[in-house]
Structure formats: structure tokens, C-alpha cells
Amino acid sequence: MRILSFLSVNTNIVPVAKKNGKIRICTDFRDLNEAITDVMIDNTCGFERMSFMDGFSGYNQIKMYPDDEKHTSFRTPLGVYCYTVMPFELKNVGATYQRAMNAIFH
């Protein structure tokens, strides 16, 4: 499933304090996730079963479709950046990862 091509979201970074005192930089994709929820539900209609696989950071090895990289953009004091691999915060990461695993194990 591709992210909606008409959607334009510029996500802000969210600094989060870790237990060890260091800062982890996260991105907040709630607006983007909300926009693609209906698409995900529509894509599962008509199937008897649906399962999810959880591989440790496996989705970080899946390249983003180049036209969709702009939808993962975020601002920092040094400029605007975007993800080139699937970030863990996107709602469709699980389904995309599952599709990749299905293709690999087929």
C-alpha cells in the first residue's frame, strides 16, 4: 500500500528523554496515520484472516517509495529532512512489513 499521494504533511520532531538521561528524537506521524487508516481498513475487506509479524526493526530495512519520502519530512534546527526507510511510527509499517515477508517466504 502506498501512502496517499495527495497528502502533504510536514512533521515536527519530538525530543523524548530516555531513562539513561539521553534524548531520543522521534517524529509524530499522528496526522498522517489518521489519513491512511481508512485506506488500510478498505484494503483488508474481503479477506478471512489477517495476521501481523513483528520483526525487530525489520521495517527499518524497507526502503520508502521515493515519491512518498516527502510525506515523512520533519524539521530540525539544521533543516528539513525525510526518512528514506520506513520509520516505526507509521501506521502502515506493519502491513508493508507483512507484505514483504509474504513475498520473501513465498
Side-chain angles (χ1 to χ4, degrees), residues 33-102:
N33 287 336
E34 187 176 324
I36 63 173
T37 298
D38 290 339
V39 174
M40 289 181 61
I41 291 170
D42 290 344
N43 286 340
T44 61
C45 290
F47 292 96
E48 276 185 42
R49 295 184 191 105
M50 187 168 123
S51 67
F52 294 94
M53 291 178 65
D54 183 23
F56 182 74
S57 298
Y59 45 81
N60 289 128
Q61 300 173 40
I62 299 175
K63 295 285 284 177
M64 291 284 296
Y65 185 75
D67 290 344
D68 289 337
E69 289 177 4
K70 64 181 176 267
H71 299 299
T72 64
S73 62
F74 57 94
R75 284 183 279 250
T76 72
L78 301 175
V80 176
Y81 297 89
C82 65
Y83 285 91
T84 58
V85 295
M86 297 287 290
F88 73 93
E89 300 98 343
L90 287 178
K91 188 170 280 194
N92 67 333
V93 166
T96 302
Y97 182 71
Q98 178 71 51
R99 190 177 305 111
M101 293 300 103
N102 289 346

Side-chain angles (χ1 to χ4, degrees), residues 10-29:
N10 192 1
T11 304
N12 290 316
I13 60 171
V14 181
V16 177
K18 296 186 343 183
K19 289 181 182 179
N20 64 6
K22 294 184 178 182
I23 299 292
R24 175 180 181 192
I25 300 299
C26 298
T27 45
D28 184 2
F29 287 116

